[in-house]
Amino acid sequence: MKVDILQTDISWASPEKNMESLAGMLHPGAGLYLLPEMWSTGFSMTPEAHAEKGGGAALSFMKEQAARLNGAVAGSVAVSGNGDFRNRFYFVEPDGSVFIYDKHHLFTYSGEDRHYRAGNEKVVVEWQGIRFRLAVCYDLRFPVWLRNRGDYDVLLCVASWPESRLDAWKTLLKARAIENQCYVMACNRTGDDPSCHYAGGSAAIDPYGREMTAWSDVEQVFEAEIDMNSLVEFRKKFPVLHDADEI
């Protein structure tokens, strides 16, 4: 499966502008299109001002694009509903099916935990015969939460990870791929918001921990290929997951 990773410079609190920009970057030909964390607004700690109600404009846009492209579209959005706010990862299929993962590890350093409610469900989505585990930004630092129990093939991580901690981002992406014997497809934003500078670093990492894309700090689309035959063969030849600790 071909995956397009859209490393975008998010316009602060401007959903319509971000949708317009993304529409020009989304082109047919991939099976999956991966967008950054809070792609429609930027990483906002004022969700009362920026979050959309569940099923709002950002989700509608994702559904429209998935149908147009005949591919799944995935990324996170700040949403409101039932009296709280969530950093919600949507995985949208061309037929309009929507799968939801609410970010589990909220970034206390920025106060995310004071404004959003954490999710507690691990989510794996099967699409075109490939199992995708969903994760958002800070989740990447917690290997126990992301431990592969033989239930997924690709870890999808969407992020607003600042330049100041980019070395950690690069290291953790490779570590998660190696220890979970999986592909990692990671989409980080570039540009600036009122608090941080972002230097991209979106990446595709293979199960050996090798980079499949070149590092970049500018807005662009990265293309990567998931080779399931290669992954299955590697797991058979070198069955690391069978020797994992039961924790």
Side-chain angles (χ1 to χ4, degrees):
M1 177 192 292
K2 179 187 171 186
V3 179
D4 279 4
I5 301 171
L6 284 82
Q7 179 168 286
T8 62
D9 183 352
I10 300 171
S11 297
W12 180 250
S14 302
E16 290 185 2
K17 188 174 181 179
N18 290 316
M19 291 179 208
E20 182 180 359
S21 176
L22 277 171
M25 298 173 70
L26 290 162
H27 301 292
L32 172 64
Y33 301 83
L34 191 62
L35 316 181
E37 179 182 21
M38 293 196 192
W39 63 263
S40 64
T41 60
F43 187 61
S44 173
M45 291 303 100
T46 54
E48 61 278 2
H50 299 141
E52 67 170 34
K53 291 184 178 179
L59 179 57
S60 295
F61 172 82
M62 295 175 77
K63 288 182 177 180
E64 291 167 3
Q65 296 302 316
R68 178 179 71 86
L69 298 162
N70 194 31
V73 177
S76 98
V77 178
V79 302
S80 65
N82 299 321
D84 58 32
F85 303 98
R86 303 290 182 111
N87 186 344
R88 179 158 291 173
F89 191 151
Y90 288 123
F91 189 105
V92 182
E93 296 182 356
D95 66 358
S97 298
V98 179
F99 299 88
I100 290 171
Y101 167 71
D102 289 333
K103 186 178 181 180
H104 179 61
H105 295 94
L106 300 179
F107 192 42
T108 56
Y109 185 76
S110 71
E112 187 180 14
D113 60 315
R114 299 196 299 271
H115 302 285
Y116 294 86
R117 184 176 178 182
N120 291 308
E121 298 293 328
K122 299 177 180 179
V123 177
V124 176
V125 179
E126 184 169 343
W127 167 241
Q128 294 188 352
I130 301 173
R131 300 169 301 170
F132 296 93
R133 174 69 187 273
L134 310 187
V136 180
C137 203
Y138 195 43
D139 286 328
L140 189 65
R141 288 184 178 269
F142 300 92
V144 175
W145 177 250
L146 297 177
R147 183 61 51 83
N148 192 349
R149 302 296 183 184
D151 58 347
Y152 71 88
D153 307 305
V154 181
L155 175 64
L156 297 181
C157 184
V158 300
S160 289
W161 197 289
E163 182 185 37
S164 58
R165 292 182 289 277
L166 198 59
D167 284 344
W169 164 258
K170 296 177 181 180
T171 301
L172 291 167
L173 291 177
K174 291 188 175 186
R176 297 296 86 87
I178 293 167
E179 71 193 9
N180 292 302
Q181 210 166 30
C182 69
Y183 286 95
V184 173
M185 302 286 160
C187 186
N188 191 36
R189 66 160 296 178
T190 188
D192 298 276
D193 66 18
S195 301
C196 294
H197 175 66
Y198 302 90
S202 299
I205 310 293
D206 78 6
Y208 295 88
R210 300 176 301 203
E211 300 171 18
M212 301 167 63
T213 52
W215 293 100
S216 171
D217 62 356
V218 299
E219 187 173 68
Q220 69 180 91
V221 179
F222 299 90
E223 297 181 357
E225 192 76 27
I226 298 169
D227 184 342
M228 282 301 298
N229 290 332
S230 175
L231 176 60
V232 170
E233 184 61 28
F234 177 41
R235 286 176 171 176
K236 287 180 179 178
K237 181 179 179 180
F238 190 53
V240 173
L241 297 180
H242 294 300
D243 296 329
D245 298 309
E246 294 295 329
I247 58 173

